[in-house]
Amino acid sequence: MSAIVFGLFGLIVGSFLNVVVLRHGVRSIGGRSGCMSCGAQLRWYDMLPVVSWLALGGRCRACRARISPQYPFVEATTAILFGFIGASSLSILPQVISCLILALLVAISVYDLRHTIIPDEWAYAFAGLAFVSQFLLPLSGEFNPWWFVFAGPVVAAPLFALWLFSGGRWMGLGDAKLALGIGWLLGPVLGIFAVFGAFVVGAIVSVGILLPLPRIVRALYTLGITSADIGAGGFTMKSEIPFGPFLIFSCIIIWFATLYGIDPLEVFGLLPLTTF
Ligand SMILES: [Zn+2]
């Protein structure tokens, strides 16, 4: 029951997050929404989360321009995440804090995907809420007074080092700021585990995106199988892939696992680390 209430609330919040991400640093949140192509104002029945997009086949009612699937995707994702919080055994205050954290994480992911940058104030708001969450929701087991200040910096440190030593080429400073919140939310051990998981998922996805066509074509070229005009296409690995969404994906999976009594360290046979 409360999963459904939270889920419906998540649909509305997700729809709001779309507006926030779209207008951040561009224009104010207030004001009516219009079609990005023809400017036609949207009626209330065009703004129902997920439903309207599906009913209109992903196109504007007036000009038939395509509407990004990002909108229903963000709404549905937020609804599902909130639903999991609603169905958990947390009491209402931790549930509200968790939903605030999730809303920020969804907004950060989408913004990072669109602009490959994480707004400072969002990363810091997440870090602040995650710090407070240590007292309200002992997500990674018992509240640990030895770690409660240091968990954030400890998890952020490796990403900060990568940013520093690469001059920002391998890692953005925003990712380190994001990891600060992940450390406070999950604790130092699960936090580091989440960062590691993000690298693994990121590597798999990056290879999936970058490898197939250009790499294969070039490999065939060096083997003398393809002609020079196809092989010398000049593909590079420069294409920037944001790391934030991987960090957040990994963080939420681990967070939700612990929320439902699954110890990720146990799943991966790393149980001795739990003593931290
Ligand atoms: Zn239109």
Side-chain angles (χ1 to χ4, degrees):
M1 179 57 202
S2 92
I4 294 168
V5 174
F6 272 73
L8 290 174
F9 184 58
L11 279 179
I12 298 164
V13 171
S15 158
F16 171 73
L17 292 177
N18 276 320
V19 177
V20 170
V21 168
L22 196 65
R23 296 187 183 177
H24 178 77
V26 181
R27 51 177 284 206
S28 70
I29 306 272
R32 298 287 305 269
S33 299
C35 168
M36 303 278 285
S37 295
C38 70
Q41 282 210 343
L42 302 181
R43 308 288 182 80
W44 66 267
Y45 50 79
D46 293 332
M47 295 195 285
L48 298 174
V50 183
V51 179
S52 296
W53 189 89
L54 290 176
L56 292 167
R59 288 176 182 278
C60 167
R61 187 186 295 279
C63 70
R64 309 301 297 158
R66 279 199 175 282
I67 303 167
S68 168
Q70 175 207 308
Y71 298 101
F73 182 75
V74 167
E75 289 155 356
T77 303
T78 313
I80 292 165
L81 294 176
F82 278 29
F84 271 107
I85 295 296
S88 73
S89 56
L90 293 172
S91 54
I92 187 69
L93 183 60
Q95 281 182 327
V96 170
I97 301 274
S98 299
C99 286
L100 278 170
I101 288 175
L102 285 168
L104 272 166
L105 292 180
V106 170
I108 290 171
S109 300
V110 179
Y111 197 89
D112 200 10
L113 277 172
R114 291 176 67 113
H115 305 286
T116 56
I117 194 157
I118 297 171
D120 265 352
E121 59 269 43
W122 297 359
Y124 288 138
F126 165 55
L129 281 170
F131 188 82
V132 170
S133 78
Q134 295 181 102
F135 305 98
L136 296 169
L137 46 159
L139 294 164
S140 47
E142 294 300 304
F143 171 73
N144 189 330
W146 293 105
W147 277 114
F148 88 106
V149 173
F150 297 106
V154 160
V155 173
L159 298 185
F160 182 78
L162 277 177
W163 168 78
L164 197 65
F165 294 131
S166 72
R169 271 174 298 124
W170 303 337
M171 190 60 59
L173 186 55
D175 299 312
K177 291 170 186 167
L178 184 60
L180 202 59
I182 292 175
W184 280 320
L185 184 69
L186 301 178
V189 175
L190 289 179
I192 294 281
F193 193 58
V195 171
F196 181 73
F199 276 112
V200 173
V201 177
I204 293 168
V205 173
S206 303
V207 165
I209 291 172
L210 293 175
L211 192 70
L213 280 170
R215 294 273 127 178
I216 290 169
V217 167
R218 183 178 286 181
L220 294 176
Y221 170 61
T222 43
L223 291 170
I225 296 170
T226 347
S227 64
D229 52 314
I230 302 172
F235 300 104
T236 64
M237 288 286 283
K238 279 270 173 62
S239 330
E240 202 178 349
I241 294 175
F243 192 54
F246 299 121
L247 275 174
I248 287 169
F249 176 80
S250 180
C251 171
I252 290 178
I253 296 284
I254 290 172
W255 177 15
F256 278 21
T258 58
L259 212 54
Y260 280 86
I262 302 162
D263 189 338
L265 296 175
E266 197 179 345
V267 173
F268 288 91
L270 299 167
L271 205 54
L273 290 171
T274 318
T275 46
F276 283 96

